[in-house]
Amino acid sequence: MNSNFIRNVFCVAVLACSMSACTKQLKQDPVTDAQRLNANGAAAAAAPAVDPDGAALRKLLNAYGPSFEIYRVSGEQGGKIVSKRGTIYSISPNSFVTKSGAPVTGPVTVAIKEIRDASNMIFADRPTRTNNGQALESFGEFFVRANDAGGQPLNLRKDSAIAVQVPVKPGNFDRVPMWGGDSTITRTLSGFNHLNQPTTVTQDVAVVKGIDWTPNGQFALFNGTTLNFRLDSLIKWFNCDRLTGNNPRTTVLGYFTNFYNPNTNTSYMGEEPSMLFFKARNVNSIVKFYNVILNPAPGFQGFLSYQTSVPVNQQGTFLAITSLNGNFYAEQKDVVISAPPAGQNYTSVSFNLVQVSATDLVNLINSMNTK
């Protein structure tokens, strides 16, 4: 795991101490930033100031990103849900239980979020790559949660699951690996109740991983029209992806020749004021360059890929974005990833950003779907 990623995760945990910095994420995140911990489950001590440019960019992205679709089913009878994108979720009778394991027979509110295209991967900050940086072709990312009539979160019964059918275009494959990108840990908090008596509370909270997708050992089966798989737990992201590209690989450095916001180096994940994304040509995938170039010479600030992770000769499109001093800047650039020059162990791509309006930036992001 690289040091830049750890830095970003730690900064997210630090922000848990600043409640005013958390509310902006509630629309998109299944758990609040106030619940987030670092990889060791330890709370951090001090909170850095939130960068206003990064916050402005995240606010814009959130406004156009995917939101939860809300449905209601009977806990006793189950039901079938068809999402706006045509995904079918089949819920068996008596599938839901409370945290204590008691069956739920009354009405259940089911919230579903799907990420099915490149633009929403950018808006929601859910890029598709493995934990060693390899690109994944996505057939969709899926998140489901359920609450009882009183608003309490529910679990799935241990021997139960939600059957999912995702309509996809015909292809030369029979199954696709399933991946997980979020994990949860259980923590126990000690404190005092409303009568000032010592008490403890056990909570399940999400650990932010920057979405390093890892295989969960399951597969989606393709029947010619739909991919079919099962969700065996709630409040976790599931990704239906396959690896892409077999060419030799190189490391890519993306240089922002202008309008790079230096606060990116100390911002927390999801609110970086400068970002760099890459989409392989005709592949439903977005790779986000998380690693910041350290100690760059003037004009060479920016990001680099994971080491030797980008296929040579890969055609694709970069989107470089910056929020700086209240303005947005961007460049969309079509490229073919070249092999490193002789005596060099990396390939570089330079970006010359220009000022764009909020509408222009949203249109650029949406256009990534057709690249």
Side-chain angles (χ1 to χ4, degrees):
M1 187 173 294
N2 64 80
S3 59
N4 290 316
F5 167 67
I6 294 175
R7 168 186 61 78
N8 284 335
V9 173
F10 184 76
C11 290
V12 173
V14 170
L15 261 292
C17 300
S18 174
M19 292 301 294
S20 62
C22 298
T23 56
K24 65 180 73 68
Q25 294 289 341
L26 296 182
K27 177 173 180 282
Q28 296 300 328
D29 289 347
V31 294
T32 69
D33 285 335
Q35 293 174 301
R36 298 195 188 281
L37 303 176
N38 64 22
N40 294 320
V50 176
D51 176 67
D53 289 315
L57 179 55
R58 175 44 51 195
K59 181 179 180 180
L60 175 67
L61 298 179
N62 281 353
Y64 289 89
S67 57
F68 280 105
E69 300 177 30
I70 307 300
Y71 302 92
R72 287 176 176 79
V73 299
S74 165
E76 184 177 14
Q77 299 176 6
K80 183 175 290 187
I81 294 171
V82 181
S83 75
K84 294 178 180 178
R85 296 293 299 266
T87 305
I88 300 174
Y89 299 81
S90 298
I91 303 171
S92 300
N94 302 307
S95 292
F96 297 110
V97 295
T98 65
K99 290 290 185 180
S100 62
V104 177
T105 58
V108 173
T109 299
V110 179
I112 294 171
K113 185 181 289 188
E114 298 180 354
I115 297 176
R116 300 279 298 278
D117 48 38
S119 61
N120 277 328
M121 295 174 197
I122 296 175
F123 286 128
D125 200 29
R126 297 276 166 180
T128 50
R129 61 171 174 79
T130 68
N131 56 13
N132 65 0
Q134 295 188 73
L136 297 170
E137 179 184 5
S138 179
F139 294 92
E141 303 171 23
F142 307 88
F143 182 94
V144 179
R145 70 183 182 196
N147 294 338
D148 64 15
Q152 295 300 308
L154 302 175
N155 293 329
L156 287 175
R157 199 179 65 237
K158 286 186 177 181
D159 58 347
S160 182
I162 297 176
V164 183
Q165 297 173 278
V166 185
V168 297
K169 296 178 180 179
N172 185 26
F173 55 90
D174 56 5
R175 66 178 189 171
V176 176
M178 297 296 297
W179 307 69
D182 284 357
S183 60
T184 59
I185 62 173
T186 301
R187 65 170 180 175
T188 300
L189 301 179
S190 297
F192 297 85
N193 64 14
H194 64 289
L195 299 176
N196 199 34
Q197 298 297 312
T199 187
T200 59
V201 176
T202 300
Q203 296 177 327
D204 291 332
V205 296
V207 178
V208 175
K209 300 177 66 177
I211 310 310
D212 282 336
W213 296 105
T214 55
N216 65 11
Q218 302 174 7
F219 290 87
L221 302 181
F222 184 55
N223 65 6
T225 58
T226 62
L227 280 169
N228 301 271
F229 57 91
R230 290 160 61 87
L231 301 182
D232 57 9
S233 59
L234 303 177
I235 321 180
K236 290 184 179 181
W237 280 97
F238 290 86
N239 198 352
C240 187
D241 282 359
R242 60 180 177 178
L243 289 166
T244 63
N246 295 314
N247 289 4
R249 298 174 184 269
T250 182
T251 304
V252 176
L253 276 69
Y255 299 137
F256 284 46
T257 61
N258 59 353
F259 298 120
Y260 178 83
N261 190 324
N263 289 334
T264 300
N265 297 17
T266 55
S267 64
Y268 71 92
M269 188 171 296
E271 290 200 354
E272 307 99 320
S274 289
M275 300 179 180
L276 181 61
F277 299 95
F278 178 72
K279 182 182 183 298
R281 182 68 51 83
N282 298 324
V283 177
N284 191 35
S285 172
I286 286 291
V287 174
K288 183 178 182 181
F289 283 39
Y290 284 104
N291 303 315
V292 175
I293 296 173
L294 301 179
N295 300 322
F300 291 89
Q301 294 174 298
F303 304 88
L304 70 156
S305 70
Y306 278 58
Q307 294 296 310
T308 59
S309 65
V310 183
V312 174
N313 295 324
Q314 174 69 67
Q315 298 182 51
T317 302
F318 277 101
L319 180 59
I321 302 172
T322 284
S323 176
L324 182 64
N325 298 327
N327 297 314
F328 296 123
Y329 303 86
E331 183 186 12
Q332 188 181 76
K333 190 169 190 175
D334 295 331
V335 301
V336 177
I337 301 298
S338 61
Q344 189 170 290
N345 64 353
Y346 66 92
T347 300
S348 63
V349 181
S350 296
F351 302 97
N352 183 28
L353 283 67
V354 298
Q355 186 172 344
V356 296
S357 67
T359 300
D360 291 336
L361 180 55
V362 170
N363 289 338
L364 282 173
I365 294 173
N366 282 325
S367 71
M368 297 291 279
N369 291 336
T370 60
K371 295 294 184 179

